[in-house]
Coordinates of all heavy atoms in Angstrom, one line a residue:
V1038 N -13.9 22.3 1.2 CA -13.8 20.9 1.3 C -14.3 20.4 2.7 O -15.3 19.6 2.8 CB -12.4 20.4 1.1 CG1 -12.2 18.9 1.4 CG2 -12.0 20.7 -0.4
A1041 N -18.1 21.0 3.0 CA -19.0 20.1 2.4 C -19.4 18.9 3.3 O -20.5 18.5 3.4 CB -18.4 19.6 1.1
F1042 N -18.4 18.5 4.1 CA -18.6 17.3 5.0 C -19.5 17.8 6.2 O -20.4 17.0 6.6 CB -17.3 16.8 5.5 CG -16.5 16.1 4.4 CD1 -15.7 16.8 3.6 CD2 -16.6 14.7 4.3 CE1 -15.0 16.1 2.6 CE2 -15.9 14.0 3.4 CZ -15.1 14.7 2.5
I1043 N -19.3 19.0 6.7 CA -20.1 19.5 7.8 C -21.5 19.7 7.3 O -22.5 19.3 8.0 CB -19.5 20.8 8.3 CG1 -18.2 20.6 9.0 CG2 -20.5 21.5 9.2 CD1 -17.4 21.9 9.3
A1044 N -21.7 20.2 6.1 CA -23.1 20.5 5.6 C -23.9 19.2 5.5 O -25.1 19.2 5.8 CB -23.0 21.2 4.3
I1045 N -23.3 18.1 5.1 CA -24.1 16.9 4.8 C -24.0 15.9 6.0 O -24.9 15.1 6.2 CB -23.6 16.2 3.5 CG1 -24.7 15.2 3.0 CG2 -22.3 15.5 3.7 CD1 -26.0 15.8 2.6
E1046 N -23.0 16.0 6.8 CA -22.8 15.0 7.8 C -23.1 15.5 9.2 O -23.6 14.7 10.1 CB -21.4 14.4 7.8 CG -21.1 13.5 6.6 CD -21.9 12.2 6.6 OE1 -22.1 11.6 7.7 OE2 -22.4 11.8 5.6
Y1123 N -10.6 13.5 11.0 CA -11.7 12.8 10.3 C -11.4 12.8 8.8 O -11.6 11.8 8.2 CB -13.0 13.6 10.7 CG -14.2 13.2 9.9 CD1 -14.9 12.0 10.2 CD2 -14.6 13.9 8.8 CE1 -16.0 11.6 9.5 CE2 -15.7 13.5 8.0 CZ -16.4 12.3 8.4 OH -17.5 11.9 7.7
V1127 N -11.3 9.0 7.1 CA -12.6 8.5 6.7 C -12.5 7.7 5.4 O -11.6 8.0 4.5 CB -13.6 9.6 6.5 CG1 -13.3 10.5 5.3 CG2 -15.0 9.1 6.4
Y1128 N -13.3 6.7 5.2 CA -13.2 5.8 4.1 C -14.1 6.3 2.9 O -15.3 6.6 3.1 CB -13.7 4.4 4.4 CG -13.5 3.3 3.3 CD1 -12.3 3.1 2.7 CD2 -14.6 2.6 2.9 CE1 -12.2 2.2 1.7 CE2 -14.5 1.7 1.9 CZ -13.3 1.5 1.3 OH -13.2 0.6 0.3
F1129 N -13.5 6.3 1.7 CA -14.3 6.8 0.5 C -14.6 5.7 -0.5 O -15.0 6.0 -1.6 CB -13.4 7.9 -0.1 CG -13.4 9.2 0.7 CD1 -12.3 9.4 1.6 CD2 -14.4 10.1 0.6 CE1 -12.3 10.6 2.3 CE2 -14.3 11.3 1.3 CZ -13.3 11.5 2.2
Y1143 N -10.2 9.1 -7.5 CA -11.3 9.4 -8.3 C -11.1 10.5 -9.3 O -11.7 10.5 -10.4 CB -12.5 9.7 -7.4 CG -13.0 8.6 -6.6 CD1 -13.1 8.7 -5.2 CD2 -13.4 7.4 -7.2 CE1 -13.5 7.6 -4.4 CE2 -13.9 6.3 -6.4 CZ -13.9 6.5 -5.0 OH -14.3 5.4 -4.3
F1144 N -10.2 11.5 -8.9 CA -10.0 12.6 -9.8 C -8.6 12.8 -10.3 O -8.3 13.8 -11.0 CB -10.5 13.9 -9.1 CG -11.9 13.7 -8.5 CD1 -12.2 13.9 -7.2 CD2 -13.0 13.4 -9.4 CE1 -13.4 13.8 -6.7 CE2 -14.2 13.3 -8.9 CZ -14.5 13.5 -7.5
V1153 N -15.3 22.6 -6.1 CA -16.5 22.6 -5.3 C -17.3 21.3 -5.6 O -17.8 20.6 -4.7 CB -17.4 23.8 -5.4 CG1 -18.7 23.7 -4.7 CG2 -16.6 25.1 -4.9
A1154 N -17.5 21.0 -6.9 CA -18.2 19.9 -7.3 C -17.6 18.6 -6.9 O -18.2 17.6 -6.4 CB -18.4 19.9 -8.9
E1155 N -16.2 18.5 -6.9 CA -15.5 17.3 -6.5 C -15.6 17.1 -5.0 O -15.7 16.0 -4.5 CB -14.1 17.4 -7.0 CG -14.0 17.3 -8.5 CD -12.6 17.7 -9.0 OE1 -11.8 18.3 -8.3 OE2 -12.3 17.4 -10.2
A1156 N -15.5 18.3 -4.3 CA -15.6 18.2 -2.8 C -17.0 17.7 -2.4 O -17.1 16.9 -1.5 CB -15.3 19.6 -2.2
A1157 N -18.0 18.2 -3.1 CA -19.4 17.7 -2.8 C -19.5 16.3 -3.1 O -20.2 15.5 -2.3 CB -20.4 18.5 -3.6
M1158 N -18.9 15.8 -4.1 CA -19.1 14.3 -4.5 C -18.4 13.5 -3.4 O -18.9 12.4 -3.0 CB -18.5 14.1 -5.9 CG -18.7 12.6 -6.3 SD -18.4 12.4 -8.1 CE -19.9 13.1 -8.8
L1159 N -17.2 13.9 -3.0 CA -16.5 13.1 -2.0 C -17.2 13.1 -0.7 O -17.3 12.1 0.0 CB -15.0 13.7 -1.8 CG -14.1 13.5 -2.9 CD1 -12.7 14.0 -2.5 CD2 -14.0 12.0 -3.4
A1160 N -17.8 14.3 -0.3 CA -18.5 14.4 1.0 C -19.7 13.4 0.9 O -20.1 12.9 1.9 CB -18.9 15.8 1.3
G1161 N -20.3 13.3 -0.3 CA -21.5 12.5 -0.4 C -21.2 11.0 -0.3 O -22.1 10.2 -0.1
L1162 N -19.9 10.6 -0.5 CA -19.5 9.2 -0.5 C -19.5 8.6 0.9 O -19.7 7.4 1.0 CB -18.2 9.0 -1.1 CG -18.0 9.3 -2.6 CD1 -16.6 9.0 -3.0 CD2 -19.0 8.6 -3.4
V1163 N -19.3 9.4 1.9 CA -19.1 8.9 3.3 C -20.3 8.0 3.7 O -20.0 7.0 4.4 CB -18.9 10.1 4.2 CG1 -18.7 9.6 5.7 CG2 -17.6 10.8 3.8
R1164 N -21.5 8.4 3.4 CA -22.6 7.7 3.9 C -22.6 6.2 3.3 O -23.0 5.3 4.1 CB -23.9 8.4 3.4 CG -25.2 7.7 3.9 CD -25.4 7.7 5.4 NE -25.2 9.0 5.9 CZ -26.2 9.9 6.0 NH1 -27.4 9.6 5.5 NH2 -26.0 11.1 6.6
S1165 N -22.3 6.0 2.1 CA -22.3 4.7 1.5 C -21.2 4.6 0.4 O -21.5 4.7 -0.8 CB -23.7 4.4 0.9 OG -23.7 3.1 0.4
P1166 N -19.9 4.5 0.8 CA -18.8 4.6 -0.1 C -18.8 3.5 -1.2 O -18.5 3.8 -2.3 CB -17.6 4.5 0.8 CG -18.1 3.9 2.0 CD -19.5 4.3 2.2
S1167 N -19.2 2.3 -0.8 CA -19.1 1.2 -1.8 C -20.2 1.4 -2.9 O -20.0 1.2 -4.1 CB -19.3 -0.1 -1.1 OG -18.2 -0.4 -0.2
R1168 N -21.4 1.8 -2.4 CA -22.5 1.9 -3.3 C -22.5 3.2 -4.2 O -22.9 3.2 -5.4 CB -23.9 1.9 -2.5 CG -25.1 2.0 -3.4 CD -26.4 1.9 -2.5 NE -26.5 2.9 -1.6 CZ -27.0 4.1 -1.8 NH1 -27.5 4.4 -3.0 NH2 -27.1 5.0 -0.8
L1169 N -21.9 4.3 -3.7 CA -21.9 5.5 -4.4 C -20.5 5.9 -5.0 O -20.4 7.0 -5.5 CB -22.3 6.6 -3.4 CG -23.7 6.6 -2.8 CD1 -23.9 7.7 -1.8 CD2 -24.7 6.7 -4.0
A1170 N -19.6 5.0 -5.0 CA -18.3 5.3 -5.6 C -18.5 5.7 -7.1 O -19.1 5.0 -7.9 CB -17.4 4.1 -5.6
P1171 N -18.0 6.9 -7.5 CA -18.2 7.4 -8.8 C -17.6 6.6 -9.9 O -18.1 6.6 -11.1 CB -17.6 8.8 -8.8 CG -16.6 8.8 -7.7 CD -17.2 7.9 -6.6
G1177 N -25.5 7.7 -9.3 CA -25.8 7.8 -7.8 C -24.9 8.8 -7.1 O -25.3 9.5 -6.3
A1178 N -23.6 8.8 -7.5 CA -22.7 9.7 -6.9 C -23.0 11.2 -7.2 O -22.9 12.1 -6.4 CB -21.2 9.4 -7.3
E1179 N -23.5 11.4 -8.4 CA -23.8 12.8 -8.8 C -25.1 13.2 -8.1 O -25.2 14.4 -7.7 CB -24.0 12.8 -10.4 CG -24.3 14.2 -10.9 CD -24.3 14.3 -12.4 OE1 -23.8 13.3 -13.0 OE2 -24.9 15.2 -12.9
K1180 N -26.1 12.4 -8.0 CA -27.3 12.8 -7.3 C -27.0 13.1 -5.8 O -27.6 14.0 -5.3 CB -28.3 11.6 -7.4 CG -28.9 11.5 -8.8 CD -29.9 10.3 -8.8 CE -30.5 10.2 -10.3 NZ -31.5 9.0 -10.3
R1181 N -26.2 12.3 -5.2 CA -25.8 12.5 -3.8 C -25.0 13.9 -3.7 O -25.2 14.6 -2.8 CB -24.9 11.4 -3.3 CG -24.4 11.5 -1.9 CD -25.5 11.5 -0.9 NE -25.0 11.5 0.5 CZ -25.7 11.6 1.6 NH1 -27.0 11.8 1.5 NH2 -25.2 11.6 2.8
A1182 N -24.2 14.2 -4.7 CA -23.4 15.4 -4.7 C -24.4 16.6 -4.8 O -24.1 17.7 -4.2 CB -22.4 15.4 -5.8
Q1183 N -25.5 16.5 -5.5 CA -26.4 17.5 -5.6 C -27.1 17.9 -4.3 O -27.3 19.0 -3.9 CB -27.5 17.2 -6.6 CG -27.0 17.1 -8.1 CD -28.0 16.5 -9.0 OE1 -29.2 16.2 -8.6 NE2 -27.7 16.4 -10.3
L1184 N -27.3 16.8 -3.5 CA -27.8 17.0 -2.1 C -26.8 17.8 -1.2 O -27.2 18.7 -0.4 CB -28.2 15.7 -1.5 CG -29.3 14.9 -2.1 CD1 -29.5 13.6 -1.4 CD2 -30.6 15.7 -2.1
V1185 N -25.6 17.4 -1.4 CA -24.5 18.1 -0.6 C -24.4 19.6 -1.0 O -24.3 20.5 -0.2 CB -23.2 17.4 -0.9 CG1 -22.1 18.2 -0.1 CG2 -23.2 16.0 -0.4
L1186 N -24.5 19.9 -2.3 CA -24.5 21.3 -2.8 C -25.6 22.1 -2.2 O -25.5 23.2 -1.8 CB -24.5 21.3 -4.3 CG -23.2 20.8 -5.0 CD1 -23.4 20.7 -6.5 CD2 -22.0 21.7 -4.7
M1189 N -24.9 22.8 1.3 CA -23.9 23.9 1.5 C -24.5 25.3 1.2 O -24.1 26.2 1.9 CB -22.8 23.6 0.5 CG -22.0 22.3 0.8 SD -20.7 22.0 -0.5 CE -19.5 23.3 0.0

Side-chain angles (χ1 to χ4, degrees):
V1038 172
F1042 289 85
I1043 292 173
I1045 196 65
E1046 289 296 319
Y1123 174 80
V1127 68
Y1128 183 57
F1129 290 92
Y1143 295 121
F1144 308 121
V1153 172
E1155 291 165 345
M1158 183 167 286
L1159 291 185
L1162 296 183
V1163 175
R1164 180 64 53 82
S1165 183
S1167 298
R1168 182 174 61 86
L1169 296 176
E1179 184 174 341
K1180 290 180 180 178
R1181 177 69 174 169
Q1183 293 171 0
L1184 295 178
V1185 177
L1186 291 170
M1189 294 177 72

